[in-house]
Amino acid sequence: DTGVSQDPRHKITKRGQNVTFRCDPISEHNRLYWYRQTLGQGPEFLTYFQNEAQLEKSRLLSDRFSAERPKGSFSTLEIQRTEQGDSAMYLCASSSRDYPDNEQFFGPGTRLTVL
Amino acid sequence: GENVEQHPSTLSVQEGDSAVIKCTYSDSASNYFPWYKQELGKGPQLIIDIRSNVGEKKDQRIAVTLNKTAKHFSLHITETQPEDSAVYFCAAHLLNSGYSTLTFGKGTMLLVSP
């Protein structure tokens, strides 16, 4: 499978715990995005990497959230001291600068439930 | 920033009917408008897109129209089939701006009944 993959697919945690999600983009895609999607809403942009550089961060990305893409390939999104309001689907997408219109290919998402 | 409104939130049609979903955007500088289909348990998948220098684009049973003056664009699905049932999202984006944010609408749940 050469699509975007995310791990885990589901995560249940207790309030106050830290969680980390992983995203593996399509091979050789140099751009990687994180979005958050809550029930009944469209995806909301969180952050964007071009290669290993984090170029954009949304105001939604509070200081409890941190994202990395250390070698310009896979990325991790960590949430510290989780809150019930963090419960959502976290989507990762990737794109290639060379692909027409910079189409973003989405992974299946990680569904986070904070109890 | 950009704001995208999408209507209706739910749409029920009979198999074979047409379905139309409408979106408006606020930033006149936006120049790329993709439509995504999201099935249960999956991430959004691009189904068609249009750039601001084009008024209409068609791909088999799916078409998108764009009115730059009114800042609205629409998705048209003809001869709907049960497998078209899903949530559809429109989005707006400014290509080649150095920014990469896709701003999405809230989605339309399309239900096609056999």
Side-chain angles (χ1 to χ4, degrees):
Chain A
D1 186 9
T2 57
V4 178
S5 62
Q6 293 187 244
D7 183 71
R9 295 291 308 277
H10 304 273
K11 179 70 177 179
I12 300 174
T13 191
K14 292 182 179 179
R15 188 177 54 185
Q17 298 294 306
N18 299 343
V19 294
T20 299
F21 310 141
R22 176 179 170 125
C23 170
D24 287 88
I26 292 173
S27 179
E28 297 180 356
H29 273 191
N30 61 334
R31 298 176 173 180
L32 187 147
Y33 314 80
W34 285 98
Y35 291 83
R36 183 178 73 180
Q37 185 177 25
T38 53
L39 198 62
Q41 302 293 318
E44 296 172 292
F45 171 77
L46 292 178
T47 190
Y48 155 63
F49 290 85
Q50 181 160 302
N51 299 313
E52 66 276 8
Q54 188 174 19
L55 299 185
E56 283 182 61
K57 290 199 294 186
S58 162
R59 287 174 296 176
L60 293 175
L61 211 68
S62 75
D63 55 7
R64 295 185 297 105
F65 288 69
S66 62
E68 294 182 344
R69 195 183 183 197
K71 297 183 180 179
S73 56
F74 73 91
S75 175
T76 57
L77 178 68
E78 181 183 16
I79 308 175
Q80 296 181 327
R81 305 181 303 281
T82 52
E83 301 173 356
Q84 288 185 325
D86 297 332
S87 296
M89 175 79 84
Y90 290 85
L91 293 164
C92 175
S94 70
S95 70
S96 169
R97 181 178 53 194
D98 299 324
Y99 199 91
D101 293 331
N102 194 34
E103 176 185 347
Q104 296 185 22
F105 294 83
F106 283 83
T110 294
R111 181 166 295 283
L112 172 66
T113 301
V114 181
L115 302 176
Chain B
E2 176 66 273
N3 182 52
V4 177
E5 299 285 339
Q6 182 171 348
H7 299 280
S9 56
T10 58
L11 180 58
S12 295
V13 299
Q14 292 290 320
E15 182 177 1
D17 288 349
S18 295
V20 180
I21 302 171
K22 299 182 179 182
C23 289
T24 60
Y25 60 99
S26 61
D27 188 350
S28 57
S30 291
N31 57 10
Y32 174 62
F33 307 93
W35 285 87
Y36 284 82
K37 176 183 181 182
Q38 187 172 27
E39 297 175 326
L40 197 62
K42 298 184 178 179
Q45 180 182 13
L46 181 74
I47 56 171
I48 195 168
D49 55 18
I50 191 167
R51 301 187 73 164
S52 59
N53 59 350
V54 175
E56 182 174 358
K57 184 176 178 180
K58 189 173 182 180
D59 182 4
Q60 300 183 346
R61 297 186 297 108
I62 295 173
V64 57
T65 58
L66 171 66
N67 183 327
K68 287 170 50 181
T69 303
K71 291 189 286 188
H72 68 71
F73 55 112
S74 300
L75 177 71
H76 304 253
I77 306 174
T78 58
E79 301 172 20
T80 54
Q81 302 167 3
E83 50 264 39
D84 294 329
S85 296
V87 180
Y88 291 80
F89 293 98
C90 61
H93 180 42
L94 179 57
L95 286 174
N96 302 319
S97 64
Y99 297 95
S100 296
T101 303
L102 273 175
T103 302
F104 285 85
K106 291 187 176 182
T108 296
M109 179 176 290
L110 175 64
L111 178 61
V112 181
S113 302

